[in-house]
Amino acid sequence: MKKTWLITGCSSGFGRHLAQEAAARGDEVVATARNLDTLRDLAQRYPNTVRLASLDVTRPETIRAAIAMTEETFGKLNVLVNNAGHGFMGAIEEATSDEYRPLFEVNVFGLIEVTRAALPLMRRTKGGRIVNLSSGAGILGTGGRGYYNATKFAVEGLSEALAQEVAPMDIRVLIVEPGPFRTEFLGRSIAVARQKLEAYAASGGAARIYRESNDGRQLGDPSKAVAVMIRAIDADDPPLHLPIGPHAHSQAERKLEMFRRDIDAWREMSIATDFD
Ligand code: NAP
């Protein structure tokens, strides 16, 4: 059976690759972007199965319109991919609220609004997949990336809860946690704190240097990452957590080790806290 997909942020990177791959295998795709000019070629190549919708995850009316168009055109929604997102480099003290709040608007509240708008159609479809783009940064916090970490940790918690809520409806949630992949992410999709404090040279400063020296040089091939995502989406029993790439895997291992060490070292004292 052909699957019907709705993907946010298809102008470039993972979203673009996913839309292309899904369309190439004959699935129905609602490819969305803020600027539809970035997607015209895809719609021309697959005129019967690809529809374009202008969708900015911070504008609820565009979300509602894209979901309505999906239902009118295809009558169902099997795979929702919450991919739209951007990044931010800078230490916690360096950034100001006008810099970090927009990150939450897109990565967290945008994802929530798209999910809430899509769920009624997904429930009527009876079964499907919600794929939420987190990051290795959603597994392990790193100095200089704290605000991005915070948004992706929010995606993780929300997704784990959602997975339990929608399991009875045969909807499965996948949290995709890529390491560094060569998309537009480190270029136009990442902002840097205006304020630079010498005290944070080793954290905020290192993140800035990482961005400058790694854009376009990331080892991860996004088409290979997308192939893994599609295998997982198609699986009868997909994983809830899916780190992709060696870096994300080592972050997951480090997190597990650190968590285990702290829990074990403090177990006796920290569990003796119920009323006598
Ligand atoms: P990308 O090529 O820069 O793509 C980011 C996409 O998000 C673009 O299509 C962008 O659209 C879209 N977007 C940003 N704000 C939006 C909004 N308000 N409404 C709708 N779309 C919006 O980077 P990418 O790597 O593919 O990023 C996709 C996801 O992967 C993000 O959630 C990112 O956090 C995650 N991720 C990436 C990496 C990596 O190394 N590449 C690693 C871990 C996680 P515009 O063209 O309109 O800006």
Side-chain angles (χ1 to χ4, degrees), residues 76-100:
K76 64 186 176 73
L77 177 57
N78 306 103
V79 185
L80 168 67
V81 186
N82 282 307
N83 165 72
H86 52 86
F88 185 82
M89 299 291 205
I92 304 299
E93 189 184 340
E94 287 175 328
T96 51
S97 69
D98 65 312
E99 292 178 299
Y100 64 73

Side-chain angles (χ1 to χ4, degrees), residues 237-252:
D237 185 18
L240 175 57
H241 293 276
L242 182 62
I244 306 185
H247 187 74
H249 266 265
S250 67
Q251 281 180 304

